[in-house]
Amino acid sequence: MTEKIFNLFVYSNLEIINQVGAVSHEIKGTDEEKLSYLQEQVELDFNIAEKFGLPNEIVTTYKGLERNSIDYMTYRDLCHNGQALIIFENVFIKHNAKESPLVVVTPVKNGKIRIDGKEHLKSKTNEFSGKLKIEKQDDWLIGYMDNDGLHLDKLINDDFIEAIRLLYNHNQYV
């Protein structure tokens, strides 16, 4: 009997995740054979993965601005607590996946696959509450990132040009 299994990808750009990717396969075999198959397919699947946004219930708030994203460190905390797959909920709904599908999750940082080693997903320590709201403290990275990438022009203006303008307006010349 075949089983639907998934190669999943976590796309992070400058440590912010706002997209995931997936390729499903239907194959027969033992769990070990299926995992081995998925691992062999990572490079090929990376190029054809269908991209999905994060579930609407995952929100990061920074300076009052809410974004449908999660930072990589918070995602790693979810992995440690056995809740890593919640960011793939849109994938599982579209593919009508069973409750605990067999998956291989591969991080993609700044457009490149990054495999530091193998880690088995932890089993759930507690149920997911249905909404993940993350309040971030001041962090220059989050303030200048969105779905379009890093806005370096705004960063340079805020960190350099505004400081020079402020000093000049207060007659503090160099």
Side-chain angles (χ1 to χ4, degrees), residues 48-62:
I48 61 168
E50 181 179 4
K51 294 185 178 178
F52 295 83
L54 299 183
N56 292 333
E57 296 81 19
I58 298 177
V59 175
T60 299
T61 302
Y62 176 75

Side-chain angles (χ1 to χ4, degrees), residues 78 80-83 122-127:
L78 290 174
H80 197 66
N81 292 328
Q83 298 179 330
K122 314 275 188 298
S123 53
K124 290 183 183 177
T125 54
N126 53 19
E127 287 301 314

Side-chain angles (χ1 to χ4, degrees), residues 63-118:
K63 291 187 177 181
L65 179 64
E66 288 191 350
R67 291 192 187 135
N68 184 220
S69 64
I70 187 171
D71 62 292
Y72 195 77
M73 291 304 293
T74 303
Y75 169 70
R76 292 298 301 152
D77 290 342
L78 290 174
C79 292
H80 197 66
N81 292 328
Q83 298 179 330
L85 295 182
I86 64 170
I87 70 170
F88 297 101
E89 196 63 34
N90 293 340
V91 173
F92 298 144
I93 289 170
K94 180 175 183 202
H95 289 278
N96 199 23
K98 66 181 190 175
E99 188 171 325
S100 295
L102 188 65
V103 302
V104 167
V105 180
T106 304
V108 178
K109 291 195 171 192
N110 301 322
K112 294 185 170 65
I113 291 176
R114 182 173 173 167
I115 301 174
D116 295 327
K118 294 181 183 178

Side-chain angles (χ1 to χ4, degrees), residues 35 43 130 171:
L35 285 173
E43 297 267 344
N171 300 321

Side-chain angles (χ1 to χ4, degrees), residues 33 36 39 56 58 71 96 101 144 155 164:
E33 291 170 337
S36 179
Q39 290 168 346
N56 292 333
I58 298 177
D71 62 292
N96 199 23
Y144 298 99
L155 171 66
I164 292 168

